Amino acid sequence: MAAARRTLVTGLLTLALGLVLWLFGSDEQVLVFTPSKLGVVLMVVGGLEAGYGLYRGRRDDAARG
């Protein structure tokens, strides 16, 4: 269960970081990328990772009985 919880927390933190970049990075440009576009990518990746953490947690609970 600890690995599933760690995956869930990491996904939520990535999602939150992406949200901050998306909200506050719209008028900046850093070398090759725009922070708002990077924020959208991080939100998608974080959401997928959080979903996988939930899935792993449910699967581990079901395996225990």
Side-chain angles (χ1 to χ4, degrees):
M1 183 69 175
R5 184 169 294 162
R6 187 173 35 247
T7 304
L8 176 64
V9 169
T10 304
L12 291 175
L13 288 174
T14 306
L15 184 95
L17 178 65
L19 182 64
V20 168
L21 282 174
W22 180 66
L23 288 174
F24 300 112
S26 61
D27 54 347
E28 301 288 327
Q29 186 160 358
V30 182
L31 295 178
V32 221
F33 63 89
T34 307
S36 61
K37 291 180 183 178
L38 180 63
V40 171
V41 171
L42 285 175
M43 285 191 297
V44 169
V45 170
L48 289 173
E49 189 172 4
Y52 181 64
L54 286 173
Y55 168 74
R56 283 180 63 181
R58 293 289 184 184
R59 188 183 65 189
D60 291 345
D61 288 344
R64 285 187 206 162

